[in-house]
Amino acid sequence: MNNRQVILTAVARNQPATRPMPTLPEPSIERASADGFAQRVEAIGGTVVPISALTDIVSYVQTRFPPPARLVSTLPDLPLGERLSDPLVPGHTLETVDLALLMGSFGVLENGAIWLDSRHLPHRALPFICQHLALVVSSRALVPTLHDAYRRLSPDTFDYGVFIAGPSKTADIEQSLVIGAHGPRSLTVFLLTTDPSR
C-alpha cells in the first residue's frame, strides 16, 4: 500500500458518524416587526431613519452630504447624485463615492441584514467601496428569519446577490471594534413605512 492509500484509508476510518439532515422550520406566519428590525440594525452599528415617502430622503442626504460630496443613487425618482448604468465600469473609479444610495429588496429581522441583488445593484463593488452606504427597504418587505429570506430568493431572477448587515467592522486587532475598517464607515437604513410601488 502506497502513502496515498494509507492516508485515504486513515481518513475513511476516522469519519464522524452520519446524522440526518436537520428539519427546517416552517415558514413564519407572523410579520416581522419594523421596530424589532430597527433595533437589530442599530445593534450592529447602523442607523435607521423611518420615512413615509422616498422624497423624505432628499433633505436628509443633502444636509449630511452637501456638495462637493460625490453621491451615487439607484433610485430613479430622486434628484440625487449620479446614476450608474454600466456594470463594466472599473471598480476603482468608485473609490471616491462618498455616499451610495441603493434599494434593498427585503430585510431580515433575525440579523438586521438587507438583501441586494443585480436588479437594484448596477455595480457589485459599489456597496463595499463607497465611504458611506444608505439602503432603502420597505417595512412591508421584512421577514423574521434567514430561513424565510432564503425562501424568497429565486436565483433565476438575478445573477448576483448579497446580504448586507451594518457598516464594515472588525475586532481582529487586539479585540477592539473598528468601524469602517474594510468598507463603508456607516450604514443608514431608510425604513419606508408605506408601499414604494404606490
mmCIF file of all heavy atoms in Angstrom, residues 15 23 36 38 43 45 62 68 77 88 94 109 115 127 131 149 171-172 189:
data_model
loop_
_atom_site.group_PDB
_atom_site.id
_atom_site.type_symbol
_atom_site.label_atom_id
_atom_site.label_comp_id
_atom_site.label_asym_id
_atom_site.label_seq_id
_atom_site.Cartn_x
_atom_site.Cartn_y
_atom_site.Cartn_z
ATOM 1 N N GLN A 15 -14.024 8.899 9.945
ATOM 2 C CA GLN A 15 -15.158 9.764 9.620
ATOM 3 C C GLN A 15 -16.127 9.824 10.799
ATOM 4 O O GLN A 15 -16.336 8.822 11.495
ATOM 5 C CB GLN A 15 -15.895 9.228 8.386
ATOM 6 C CG GLN A 15 -15.090 9.326 7.106
ATOM 7 C CD GLN A 15 -14.786 10.770 6.742
ATOM 8 O OE1 GLN A 15 -15.683 11.607 6.723
ATOM 9 N NE2 GLN A 15 -13.530 11.057 6.486
ATOM 10 N N THR A 23 -34.239 19.264 10.345
ATOM 11 C CA THR A 23 -35.551 19.647 9.830
ATOM 12 C C THR A 23 -35.646 21.159 9.825
ATOM 13 O O THR A 23 -35.414 21.806 10.849
ATOM 14 C CB THR A 23 -36.664 19.066 10.723
ATOM 15 O OG1 THR A 23 -36.522 17.642 10.771
ATOM 16 C CG2 THR A 23 -38.031 19.425 10.169
ATOM 17 N N GLY A 36 -38.560 45.925 15.740
ATOM 18 C CA GLY A 36 -37.546 44.913 16.041
ATOM 19 C C GLY A 36 -36.414 44.940 15.031
ATOM 20 O O GLY A 36 -35.238 44.810 15.384
ATOM 21 N N ALA A 38 -35.464 47.567 13.277
ATOM 22 C CA ALA A 38 -34.698 48.789 13.533
ATOM 23 C C ALA A 38 -33.738 48.600 14.706
ATOM 24 O O ALA A 38 -32.575 49.020 14.657
ATOM 25 C CB ALA A 38 -35.644 49.961 13.798
ATOM 26 N N ALA A 43 -28.231 47.770 16.640
ATOM 27 C CA ALA A 43 -27.352 46.971 17.494
ATOM 28 C C ALA A 43 -26.074 46.561 16.766
ATOM 29 O O ALA A 43 -25.044 46.325 17.407
ATOM 30 C CB ALA A 43 -28.091 45.725 17.992
ATOM 31 N N GLY A 45 -24.571 48.493 14.516
ATOM 32 C CA GLY A 45 -23.827 49.677 14.112
ATOM 33 C C GLY A 45 -24.471 50.554 13.066
ATOM 34 O O GLY A 45 -23.894 51.561 12.659
ATOM 35 N N GLN A 62 -29.036 65.620 1.606
ATOM 36 C CA GLN A 62 -28.421 66.896 1.249
ATOM 37 C C GLN A 62 -27.862 67.626 2.460
ATOM 38 O O GLN A 62 -26.864 68.345 2.359
ATOM 39 C CB GLN A 62 -29.442 67.779 0.525
ATOM 40 C CG GLN A 62 -29.747 67.273 -0.881
ATOM 41 C CD GLN A 62 -30.813 68.092 -1.580
ATOM 42 O OE1 GLN A 62 -31.618 68.784 -0.938
ATOM 43 N NE2 GLN A 62 -30.848 68.011 -2.906
ATOM 44 N N PRO A 68 -19.123 69.388 -2.085
ATOM 45 C CA PRO A 68 -18.930 68.618 -3.317
ATOM 46 C C PRO A 68 -18.940 67.103 -3.104
ATOM 47 O O PRO A 68 -18.272 66.373 -3.841
ATOM 48 C CB PRO A 68 -17.551 69.078 -3.766
ATOM 49 C CG PRO A 68 -16.810 69.268 -2.468
ATOM 50 C CD PRO A 68 -17.836 69.779 -1.488
ATOM 51 N N ASP A 77 -36.311 58.007 -9.187
ATOM 52 C CA ASP A 77 -37.270 59.090 -8.975
ATOM 53 C C ASP A 77 -36.751 60.194 -8.065
ATOM 54 O O ASP A 77 -37.466 61.160 -7.808
ATOM 55 C CB ASP A 77 -38.577 58.529 -8.391
ATOM 56 C CG ASP A 77 -39.229 57.524 -9.330
ATOM 57 O OD1 ASP A 77 -39.024 57.673 -10.553
ATOM 58 O OD2 ASP A 77 -39.915 56.616 -8.855
ATOM 59 N N LEU A 88 -19.871 47.495 -16.158
ATOM 60 C CA LEU A 88 -18.483 47.208 -16.513
ATOM 61 C C LEU A 88 -17.544 48.359 -16.173
ATOM 62 O O LEU A 88 -16.364 48.317 -16.497
ATOM 63 C CB LEU A 88 -18.384 46.880 -18.013
ATOM 64 C CG LEU A 88 -19.215 45.673 -18.461
ATOM 65 C CD1 LEU A 88 -19.063 45.455 -19.958
ATOM 66 C CD2 LEU A 88 -18.807 44.415 -17.702
ATOM 67 N N LEU A 94 -14.953 53.970 -8.458
ATOM 68 C CA LEU A 94 -15.988 54.230 -7.447
ATOM 69 C C LEU A 94 -15.402 54.524 -6.070
ATOM 70 O O LEU A 94 -16.146 54.770 -5.125
ATOM 71 C CB LEU A 94 -16.928 53.020 -7.359
ATOM 72 C CG LEU A 94 -17.622 52.621 -8.662
ATOM 73 C CD1 LEU A 94 -18.402 51.329 -8.476
ATOM 74 C CD2 LEU A 94 -18.520 53.740 -9.166
ATOM 75 N N LEU A 109 -35.281 40.388 10.026
ATOM 76 C CA LEU A 109 -35.340 40.765 11.436
ATOM 77 C C LEU A 109 -34.270 40.068 12.261
ATOM 78 O O LEU A 109 -33.654 40.668 13.143
ATOM 79 C CB LEU A 109 -36.732 40.437 11.998
ATOM 80 C CG LEU A 109 -36.929 40.601 13.502
ATOM 81 C CD1 LEU A 109 -36.725 42.041 13.931
ATOM 82 C CD2 LEU A 109 -38.313 40.116 13.916
ATOM 83 N N TRP A 115 -31.190 42.399 1.758
ATOM 84 C CA TRP A 115 -30.822 41.700 0.528
ATOM 85 C C TRP A 115 -30.751 42.673 -0.644
ATOM 86 O O TRP A 115 -31.678 43.431 -0.895
ATOM 87 C CB TRP A 115 -31.834 40.600 0.228
ATOM 88 C CG TRP A 115 -31.617 39.933 -1.095
ATOM 89 C CD1 TRP A 115 -32.348 40.118 -2.241
ATOM 90 C CD2 TRP A 115 -30.604 38.975 -1.427
ATOM 91 N NE1 TRP A 115 -31.861 39.338 -3.252
ATOM 92 C CE2 TRP A 115 -30.782 38.624 -2.794
ATOM 93 C CE3 TRP A 115 -29.566 38.382 -0.716
ATOM 94 C CZ2 TRP A 115 -29.967 37.707 -3.442
ATOM 95 C CZ3 TRP A 115 -28.750 37.460 -1.359
ATOM 96 C CH2 TRP A 115 -28.963 37.128 -2.701
ATOM 97 N N PRO A 127 -21.426 48.839 -3.069
ATOM 98 C CA PRO A 127 -21.739 48.897 -1.629
ATOM 99 C C PRO A 127 -20.546 48.599 -0.717
ATOM 100 O O PRO A 127 -20.652 48.750 0.495
ATOM 101 C CB PRO A 127 -22.837 47.845 -1.464
ATOM 102 C CG PRO A 127 -22.674 46.922 -2.601
ATOM 103 C CD PRO A 127 -22.103 47.723 -3.737
ATOM 104 N N GLN A 131 -17.670 55.283 0.735
ATOM 105 C CA GLN A 131 -17.343 55.699 2.101
ATOM 106 C C GLN A 131 -18.513 55.492 3.060
ATOM 107 O O GLN A 131 -18.330 55.094 4.202
ATOM 108 C CB GLN A 131 -16.929 57.174 2.113
ATOM 109 C CG GLN A 131 -15.605 57.444 1.438
ATOM 110 C CD GLN A 131 -14.463 56.783 2.183
ATOM 111 O OE1 GLN A 131 -14.334 56.909 3.400
ATOM 112 N NE2 GLN A 131 -13.625 56.062 1.462
ATOM 113 N N ALA A 149 -36.009 34.286 4.533
ATOM 114 C CA ALA A 149 -35.342 35.064 3.487
ATOM 115 C C ALA A 149 -34.961 34.178 2.308
ATOM 116 O O ALA A 149 -35.212 34.525 1.150
ATOM 117 C CB ALA A 149 -34.099 35.747 4.060
ATOM 118 N N ALA A 171 -13.034 43.222 14.681
ATOM 119 C CA ALA A 171 -12.495 43.265 16.042
ATOM 120 C C ALA A 171 -11.276 42.347 16.122
ATOM 121 O O ALA A 171 -10.924 41.849 17.181
ATOM 122 C CB ALA A 171 -13.549 42.863 17.061
ATOM 123 N N ASP A 172 -10.654 42.119 14.977
ATOM 124 C CA ASP A 172 -9.498 41.214 14.927
ATOM 125 C C ASP A 172 -8.271 41.774 15.631
ATOM 126 O O ASP A 172 -7.436 41.034 16.116
ATOM 127 C CB ASP A 172 -9.132 40.912 13.463
ATOM 128 C CG ASP A 172 -10.195 40.055 12.785
ATOM 129 O OD1 ASP A 172 -11.011 39.475 13.512
ATOM 130 O OD2 ASP A 172 -10.194 39.984 11.549
ATOM 131 N N VAL A 189 -30.150 53.060 7.112
ATOM 132 C CA VAL A 189 -31.267 52.325 6.531
ATOM 133 C C VAL A 189 -32.493 53.225 6.566
ATOM 134 O O VAL A 189 -32.949 53.631 7.638
ATOM 135 C CB VAL A 189 -31.551 51.015 7.298
ATOM 136 C CG1 VAL A 189 -32.794 50.335 6.744
ATOM 137 C CG2 VAL A 189 -30.353 50.089 7.226
#
